[in-house]
């Protein structure tokens, strides 16, 4: 039987994802569940998007940043411009770190290297592709595994809803304290991201949080959207083992790769 891993809130940190997969020795028999927010704030959102899209054993549900991105991109199709001042959805997305993803999109589509007419057509096709991808994502995952009933969700569920499917999809991406301070279904194990753990843990750390009161929730958002002190947390459902990749480790690896590339370019 393969292993099941869960992470959340990558926020454009593609190098951290690669370091994690290497560290856990991720194989074709394993599965990785990403609880949303692969986009924004970090430098490589588009790299993560294509990697996730192409990996048959990596699954992802919507996060609030995917929701904001989808709304902004849908409006951009109406106004024919990401930066149109009438695009209120884009302003909200930009304020929440979307400007990094826009820069990543423009670089990927080679905005400054091709005629604008060509860029306009390519961008429109690309935006439609991204919207279709986000629309295809589930709102949450729910399954039984090794004797436990798991709910994997970006932000949380409505504690008063009888079933997870009864929760407003918007709430699944945005809820915070009302969820993780409530009991919810005592027979479920909820794993969630969205809220950086420095705001939940008593010691202000980014380490995985285990609900001390109801013992049925696990928070895993390591704060990559917050500061350079964050980390990527990964939990294995087979044995509960946690793997951590610090933000700074990823930055050093990215620097090493860039320096190596520049050194190699001297000889090409």
């Amino acid at each position: 039987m393969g292993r099941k891993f869960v992470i959340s809130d990558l926020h454009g940190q593609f190098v951290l994802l690669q370091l994690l997969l290497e560290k856990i020795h991720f194989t074709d028999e394993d599965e990785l569940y990403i609880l949303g927010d692969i986009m924004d704030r970090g430098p490589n959102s588009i790299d993560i998007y294509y990697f996730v899209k192409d990996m048959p054993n990596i699954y992802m549900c919507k996060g609030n940043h995917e929701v904001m991105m989808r709304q902004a991109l849908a409006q951009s199709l109406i106004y024919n411009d990401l930066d149109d001042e009438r695009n209120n959805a884009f302003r909200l997305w930009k304020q929440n770190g979307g400007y990094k993803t826009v820069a990543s999109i423009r670089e990927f589509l080679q905005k400054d290297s091709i005629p604008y007419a060509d860029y306009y057509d390519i961008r429109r096709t690309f935006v439609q592709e991204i919207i279709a991808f986000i629309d295809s994502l589930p709102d949450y995952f729910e399954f039984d595994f090794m004797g436990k009933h798991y709910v994997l969700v970006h932000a949380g569920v409505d504690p008063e809803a009888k079933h997870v499917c009864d929760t407003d999809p918007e709430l699944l991406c945005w809820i915070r304290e009302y969820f993780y301070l409530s009991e919810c279904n005592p027979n479920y194990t909820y794993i969630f991201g969205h809220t950086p753990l420095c705001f939940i843990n008593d010691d202000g750390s980014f380490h995985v949080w285990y609900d001390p009161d109801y013992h049925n929730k696990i928070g895993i958002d390591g704060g990559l959207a917050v500061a350079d002190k964050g980390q990527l947390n990964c939990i294995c459902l087979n044995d509960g083992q946690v793997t951590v990749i610090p933000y700074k480790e990823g930055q050093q690896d990215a620097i090493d790769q860039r320096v190596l590339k520049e050194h190699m370019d001297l000889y090409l």
Side-chain angles (χ1 to χ4, degrees):
M1 179 177 62
R3 299 167 297 167
K4 293 184 186 292
F5 297 94
V6 187
I7 63 174
S8 75
D9 297 81
L10 277 166
H11 287 292
Q13 299 296 339
F14 183 61
V15 171
L16 288 182
L17 174 60
Q18 297 303 309
L19 289 174
L20 171 69
L21 296 179
E22 181 180 347
K23 189 169 184 177
I24 64 176
H25 305 292
F26 191 68
T27 71
D28 292 341
E29 287 72 41
D30 298 326
E31 295 178 345
L32 176 66
Y33 292 83
I34 304 176
L35 306 186
D37 282 10
I38 63 171
M39 306 290 186
D40 304 341
R41 301 192 188 278
N44 303 119
S45 295
I46 303 306
D47 297 274
I48 298 176
Y49 159 67
Y50 276 113
F51 183 76
V52 169
K53 187 177 178 182
D54 291 341
M55 289 289 286
N57 56 339
I58 294 182
Y59 310 99
M60 175 184 166
C61 64
K62 289 187 187 78
N64 61 302
H65 279 261
E66 280 76 42
V67 171
M68 286 189 291
M69 181 181 188
R70 194 238 184 264
Q71 292 168 342
L73 294 182
Q75 289 295 303
S76 78
L77 293 177
I78 296 173
Y79 299 128
N80 297 324
D81 191 349
L82 281 172
D83 298 320
D84 193 290
E85 293 183 358
R86 295 166 292 176
N87 191 340
N88 293 325
F90 175 75
R91 288 204 296 273
L92 174 64
W93 181 40
K94 184 177 180 180
Q95 291 166 3
N96 284 276
Y99 68 94
K100 284 276 193 176
T101 305
V102 173
S104 185
I105 290 173
R106 287 173 174 158
E107 180 180 2
F108 175 74
L109 299 180
Q110 300 181 341
K111 179 178 185 290
D112 298 327
S113 304
I114 60 177
Y116 182 77
D118 294 340
Y119 170 73
Y120 172 84
D121 292 337
I122 293 172
R123 184 185 66 190
R124 187 172 188 83
T125 300
F126 179 78
V127 165
Q128 291 170 333
E129 175 189 317
I130 291 282
I131 290 175
F133 171 75
I134 295 174
D135 287 346
S136 74
L137 298 176
D139 295 316
Y140 61 92
F141 300 104
E142 185 172 9
F143 53 78
D144 293 311
F145 184 65
M146 298 187 70
K148 290 186 178 182
H149 186 82
Y150 285 99
V151 173
L152 313 182
V153 62
H154 178 65
V157 304
D158 181 352
E160 298 181 14
K162 186 175 181 180
H163 303 289
V164 181
C165 61
D166 297 327
T167 298
D168 185 330
E170 189 84 0
L171 211 62
L172 294 169
C173 292
W174 288 97
I175 195 170
R176 294 191 192 273
E177 291 91 344
Y178 182 41
F179 158 67
Y180 63 76
L181 295 180
S182 300
E183 181 179 16
C184 302
N185 190 321
N187 299 314
Y188 292 178
T189 297
Y190 300 90
I191 302 181
F192 67 100
H194 184 54
T195 300
L197 296 172
C198 59
F199 300 125
I200 303 180
N201 286 320
D202 291 337
D203 62 359
S205 74
F206 293 103
H207 299 320
V208 170
W209 176 81
Y210 299 91
D211 185 345
D213 298 316
Y214 303 109
H215 311 289
N216 64 342
K217 301 179 204 70
I218 303 174
I220 61 172
D221 181 354
L224 295 178
V226 177
D228 60 4
K229 296 179 181 178
Q231 61 193 40
L232 176 59
N233 293 321
C234 174
I235 186 166
C236 178
L237 300 187
N238 298 63
D239 56 11
Q241 182 175 347
V242 172
T243 303
V244 174
I245 307 293
Y247 170 83
K248 289 185 177 179
E249 184 175 329
Q251 297 310 297
Q252 185 58 52
D253 191 80
I255 291 171
D256 291 344
Q257 289 185 21
R258 187 171 66 250
V259 170
L260 176 62
K261 183 180 184 303
E262 290 173 352
H263 180 74
M264 291 288 290
D265 287 346
L266 293 175
Y267 299 94
L268 296 179

